[in-house]
Amino acid sequence: MRAQEQTEDLVVQQREPVADGVVCLTLARPGGGTVPGWEPGAHIDLLLGPGPGLGAGAEPGSPAGGEEHFVRQYSLCGDPGDPSTLRIAVLRAPGGRGGSAYVHDRIGPGDVVRTRGPRNHFALVDSPQYLFVAGGIGITPIMPMIEKAEAAGAGWTLLYGGRTRSSMAFAAQLADRYGDDRVMIRPEDEFGLLDLAGFLGAPRDGVAIYCCGPEPLLAALEQQAGPWPAGTLHLERFSPKEIADAPAAGEFVVELARSGTAVTVPADRSIVDALADAGVQVPTSCREGTCGTCETAVVSGVPDHRDSLLTEDEREGGTVLMPCVSRALSPVLVLDL
C-alpha cells in the first residue's frame, strides 16, 4: 500500500464558522502527537459514513449500518509547519453529492474522523513571482502557498473572488495581514466578474500563476493565460474538465505487471471497474479524474488520458494514468499492479 493510501483516525479539535456556509475543522491525533506532514497545495480525503464522525469500520463505497461510506477531498489550509494539527474548510454545497452536508450536519468537536493522505497534485513550484487567483472555497489551498511565498521573499499578489463578501472565507484575515495592495478582494455583487486580463497583465517570464475555484473561472483563466510561457499556469479543479474530441471508447487489454494477469476492458467499463470485476481492487475516491487517489504507474503501452489532473508534460511522458477515467490508445496497456 502506498503511503497516501494509508488511513488514520483524527479527532475534531475545533469547529468554527469562517464565512456564510463555510466551516473550518481543526484535526489532531486523539492522543496528541504528530500529524502527517504536508506541503502547500495538498489535500486529505475524509472517509465519510455512519457513526459519530466517519464510521471507522468499512471501506468507502461499502454499506454499513444501512448507510453508504463515501470519500471527499478537502484542501489543507493550515500551517505546514504545525506538526500537531491539520485544518480544512468545507463549503456547504447545495445540490452537491452529500459530502459537505454530512460534514456540516454531523461532524463536530470531539468526533473521530477517518482520513487518508495528505496527497499533493497542486504543489507550489519555486518562482520569484506568483499571481494567485481564488474563487470561493478555492482560497483554501492558496492560503498556505501565500505563506510559503512570503517566507521565501518572493513577490506575490492575490485576486480573490466570491459571490458576496460574507461568503468569502478568510478574506478579512488575508486583507488585514497583507494589505489591499497585495490582496484584492472582489465579491461579484460589488465588482462583477473578476478582471483576469487586468490582473495578469502582459505575458512575461519568471511568474507562476496558481488558481483554484469553480470551472468557469478556471476555463476563463486558461484562455487568458494562453499566450503565457508554457508551464506558467497551475490549476486545481473541483470537477472534471470537459474533454473535447476524445477518441471513441473501445475495448483493450490491461496486463498487471506484478502478476501477469490480463484483463479485458470493454468499451462501456472503466479500467478500475474491469479490474474490480476480476478481483483486483484499485483505491479510488472521486472517480472523476480530479483527485489522484487511483494514480497508477504505466509500464508499457499508450494511455488515453481523460483526467483533469495531469500536466501536459506528464501526459506526454505516459508514465502514469488515472484508471478511473483514462483508457488506452494501444491494444495492450501494462500497469504496475
Side-chain angles (χ1 to χ4, degrees):
M1 180 178 286
R2 294 175 296 181
Q4 69 258 35
E5 294 162 12
Q6 296 175 351
T7 61
E8 180 171 11
D9 290 341
L10 300 177
V11 66
V12 179
Q13 190 179 82
Q14 183 180 17
R15 168 187 163 128
E16 59 178 324
V18 290
D20 291 345
V22 181
V23 294
C24 184
L25 302 182
T26 300
L27 309 175
R29 281 191 165 160
T34 301
V35 296
W38 60 284
E39 291 291 329
H43 68 263
I44 59 171
D45 297 342
L46 295 191
L47 283 64
L48 302 166
L54 301 187
E59 287 301 311
S62 65
E67 298 183 55
E68 183 180 3
H69 286 72
F70 51 99
V71 184
R72 297 293 182 265
Q73 299 78 41
Y74 298 104
S75 296
L76 293 168
C77 60
D79 177 8
D82 177 5
S84 62
T85 64
L86 299 174
R87 295 183 75 209
I88 59 172
V90 180
L91 168 69
R92 181 189 284 273
R97 296 177 297 163
S100 66
Y102 192 101
V103 171
H104 276 254
D105 295 341
R106 302 183 60 177
I107 297 178
D111 284 336
V112 174
V113 298
R114 174 154 288 185
T115 67
R116 183 168 59 198
R119 185 183 301 109
N120 198 342
H121 287 279
F122 193 43
L124 188 69
V125 299
D126 292 334
S127 178
Q129 181 73 36
Y130 298 95
L131 296 175
F132 296 115
V133 181
I137 199 62
I139 191 62
T140 51
I142 300 297
M143 290 179 62
M145 291 184 178
I146 289 173
E147 296 280 353
K148 185 172 183 179
E150 182 76 1
W156 64 269
T157 50
L158 166 67
L159 179 64
Y160 180 14
R163 299 185 313 278
T164 63
R165 194 174 293 270
S166 63
S167 73
M168 298 170 65
F170 311 113
Q173 170 186 331
L174 287 164
D176 290 345
R177 180 167 183 180
Y178 297 112
D180 294 339
D181 57 332
R182 288 196 291 174
V183 176
M184 304 173 189
I185 306 299
R186 299 291 186 267
E188 186 176 351
D189 65 340
E190 298 177 28
F191 294 90
L193 296 178
L194 293 178
D195 180 10
L196 298 176
F199 179 68
L200 296 183
R204 52 198 183 276
D205 293 324
V207 179
I209 304 171
Y210 277 80
C211 180
C212 183
E215 183 58 33
L217 171 61
L218 302 186
L221 188 58
E222 281 185 309
Q223 183 177 17
Q224 290 292 335
W228 285 66
T232 297
L233 182 61
H234 306 263
L235 304 175
E236 183 167 63
R237 285 185 151 84
F238 299 149
S239 57
K241 179 181 179 181
E242 183 177 346
I243 300 175
D245 302 323
E251 183 176 286
F252 58 96
V253 173
V254 166
E255 290 186 3
L256 310 185
R258 301 180 198 175
S259 66
T261 302
V263 177
T264 298
V265 181
D268 61 348
R269 298 286 281 168
S270 70
I271 296 175
V272 162
D273 289 337
L275 291 179
D277 292 342
V280 180
Q281 299 296 325
V282 176
T284 62
S285 180
C286 71
R287 287 183 171 260
E288 295 179 329
T290 59
C291 74
T293 300
C294 66
E295 180 178 316
T296 302
V298 176
V299 176
S300 64
V302 182
D304 175 12
H305 295 292
R306 301 191 179 198
D307 64 274
S308 303
L309 192 63
L310 296 176
T311 66
E312 288 305 316
D313 287 344
E314 290 169 332
R315 291 169 183 265
E316 291 176 8
T319 59
V320 298
L321 90 166
M322 306 301 162
C324 67
V325 292
S326 296
R327 303 188 66 78
L329 296 175
S330 54
V332 179
L333 192 66
V334 182
L335 302 180
D336 185 18
L337 292 171

